[in-house]
Amino acid sequence: MRRIVIASVAGNALEWYDFFLYGTAAALVFGELFFPKGTDPLIGTMVAFAGFAIGFAARPFGGILFGHIGDRYGRRGALVWTLSIMGAATFLIGLLPTYAQIGLWAPTLMVVLRLLQGVASGGEWGGGVLMISESAPPQKRGFYASWSQIGVGAGFVLSAAVFFAVQALPRAEFMSWGWRIPFLASVLIFGVGVYIRSTLPESQEFAKAAAAGRRAHMPVLEVIRRHPKEILMAMGLRVAENGGSYIFLAFSLVYGKFIGIPSQIMLAGVMGSMCVELCTMLLWGRLSDRIGRKPVYMIGALGLVVIAFPFFWLLDTKAPVLIWLALLFANPVCHGAMIGTQPSLMGELFSTEVRYSGMALGHEIASVFAGGLSPLIATALLEHYRAAWPVALLLMALGMITVISLLFTHETARRRAP
């Protein structure tokens, strides 16, 4: 288990480093570099976040494609392909000419590469989770499965840290070539990640199912036929976690810039809170083994509803300590409770031969409407109302959707289908 966990976390971190780079860059530089000058800065950022949303729109297609590969031929092979596509697309973003250099071709090419990132990430999460959870002892599945999310959090921290470092350059140099460094570095990540993934053994439960001849011919169609309710459950569970996280991680940078908070302070707060969350998500996962998945997930979803307005009130003070306190409540507590429990809860909803496809469908379809649109909608609300209260209401709505979904979701701890 130790080898599987370490290799899976490392591979996930490298993959999500690539995916999260766009969100950080969209909040800080892409609106200015890849779209016409002279527009309202918030409008340019909105268009950049539209590209962010397009990446999410591609994720269900990636989930279907790699879910099929993972359920038919194995989790490991699917994950090598996702990392290869993600690494190539991210590296090419770092080479793109800007709008000033090639006009509309710049955002067009950006969208194409973002689509490729979306396809790769759509197949990544489910496979990364299953490599660990399908080899974990049942009584500790919540704890071990939560380690898969360490890679997601570490990928974000790594991407934010690299941007934090390159922002130390003089602004002219940062806007000219410094922002490209984090993207170009992905070529090294690609090589390391593919090597790590190629050395992993196949997950134990998939290997047993394959040996017993339990493989679905068309996993996506089979999971829709056999588990339609579970797919809807997974989608509802995803809304608050994914939508809330991108408001806390991406839109908060936009809002901080809007009210005059230095980007370095916001990035430091986001990175610090995510570092703490790397620990708390493991604790939440362990707690789900003790008291059940639903109670822990409910803590996070209700917490999102409660913190919605106080989060922005604390940012409005512009006091670094209070800004960081807001992010600590939002990420390690609210988001951490959901993200730490999500892998085991979602995985336990589906049977082995269609599990990759089921998780991918529920997880990725919801991500289009939750994480993909939330920063775009939040920025549009800010541009229209010039205030944070509509965004706080949006956060509350996301939380309540997941709370209602939890009421219709059965407890899965120690009841996993064979």
Side-chain angles (χ1 to χ4, degrees):
M1 276 307 302
R2 185 180 299 113
R3 179 189 172 204
I4 292 171
V5 167
I6 292 173
S8 294
V9 169
N12 286 353
L14 299 176
E15 173 99 10
W16 289 104
Y17 164 83
D18 284 357
F19 190 74
F20 285 134
L21 277 179
Y22 186 97
T24 306
L28 298 178
V29 298
F30 280 173
E32 182 175 343
L33 291 176
F34 286 89
F35 301 96
K37 292 185 176 180
T39 60
D40 182 331
L42 282 178
I43 298 294
T45 302
M46 283 174 57
V47 179
F49 274 141
F52 187 73
I54 287 171
F56 277 85
R59 288 175 66 164
F61 298 100
I64 292 171
L65 171 63
F66 292 107
H68 179 87
I69 293 172
D71 281 331
R72 286 284 297 160
Y73 307 106
R75 319 318 196 191
R76 182 179 61 184
L79 289 174
V80 171
W81 274 104
T82 63
L83 186 60
S84 301
I85 294 171
M86 180 70 79
T90 305
F91 178 75
L92 291 174
I93 288 176
L95 297 177
L96 280 182
T98 64
Y99 182 88
Q101 295 170 314
I102 61 171
L104 289 175
W105 279 107
T108 301
L109 293 172
M110 176 71 77
V111 167
V112 171
L113 295 175
R114 183 61 181 170
L115 282 170
L116 289 176
Q117 281 191 323
V119 169
S121 66
E124 168 64 25
W125 185 82
V129 166
L130 294 180
M131 288 300 293
I132 297 178
S133 66
E134 289 188 336
S135 298
Q139 69 275 15
K140 294 183 179 179
R141 185 174 291 123
F143 172 70
Y144 278 116
S146 66
W147 276 92
S148 64
Q149 305 295 59
I150 294 292
V152 181
F156 180 85
V157 171
L158 183 60
S159 67
V162 174
F163 253 95
F164 185 87
V166 296
Q167 273 202 314
L169 292 167
R171 177 166 176 77
E173 295 181 18
F174 171 71
M175 297 300 292
S176 174
W177 55 266
W179 68 269
R180 298 180 183 274
I181 294 175
F183 291 91
L184 296 177
S186 66
V187 70
L188 301 176
I189 289 172
F190 162 72
V192 173
V194 168
Y195 172 76
I196 290 173
R197 292 219 158 141
S198 299
T199 62
L200 274 179
E202 190 54 80
S203 77
Q204 292 181 14
E205 288 188 21
F206 175 82
K208 291 178 182 177
R214 291 193 290 116
R215 295 195 195 186
H217 180 65
M218 291 295 292
V220 173
L221 298 180
E222 188 71 13
V223 76
I224 292 173
R225 184 181 66 84
R226 290 168 51 187
H227 299 285
K229 180 182 176 183
E230 287 78 7
I231 293 173
L232 292 175
M233 289 176 184
M235 290 172 63
L237 296 174
R238 178 77 162 138
V239 170
E241 175 272 313
N242 193 232
S245 71
Y246 280 102
I247 288 179
F248 294 143
L249 299 179
F251 174 75
S252 65
L253 299 178
V254 176
Y255 185 71
K257 190 175 180 180
F258 176 76
I259 63 174
I261 300 173
S263 294
Q264 298 291 76
I265 291 177
M266 289 300 301
L267 278 172
V270 168
M271 285 190 297
S273 67
M274 287 297 294
C275 287
V276 175
E277 188 178 4
L278 295 180
C279 299
T280 62
M281 65 176 64
L282 298 179
L283 299 177
W284 290 118
R286 186 71 184 101
L287 184 62
S288 77
D289 287 325
R290 296 180 179 273
I291 68 173
R293 316 295 187 215
K294 284 183 64 175
V296 177
Y297 214 101
M298 186 67 80
I299 291 171
L302 286 175
L304 188 71
V305 176
V306 171
I307 200 178
F309 276 92
F311 177 78
F312 290 104
W313 293 340
L314 290 172
L315 293 189
D316 287 340
T317 66
K318 301 182 184 180
V321 173
L322 295 180
I323 292 169
W324 297 337
L325 180 65
L327 289 164
L328 284 172
F329 275 115
N331 291 320
V333 178
C334 301
H335 183 250
M338 292 184 284
I339 198 81
T341 312
Q342 189 179 96
S344 54
L345 177 54
M346 285 192 182
E348 288 165 346
L349 292 173
F350 304 97
S351 52
T352 304
E353 62 271 18
V354 294
R355 186 171 291 136
Y356 201 142
S357 297
M359 291 177 69
L361 280 176
H363 192 269
E364 305 309 338
I365 291 175
S367 73
V368 176
F369 306 103
L373 292 179
S374 63
L376 175 62
I377 294 172
T379 306
L381 290 171
L382 179 62
E383 196 277 332
H384 182 76
Y385 292 98
R386 318 303 283 192
W389 63 264
V391 184
L393 290 176
L394 173 63
L395 272 176
M396 294 181 72
L398 295 172
M400 287 308 302
I401 291 173
T402 293
V403 168
I404 294 170
S405 299
L406 276 168
L407 297 177
F408 292 94
T409 302
H410 58 270
E411 178 58 63
T412 63
R414 295 177 294 279
R415 308 182 31 174
R416 185 170 188 164

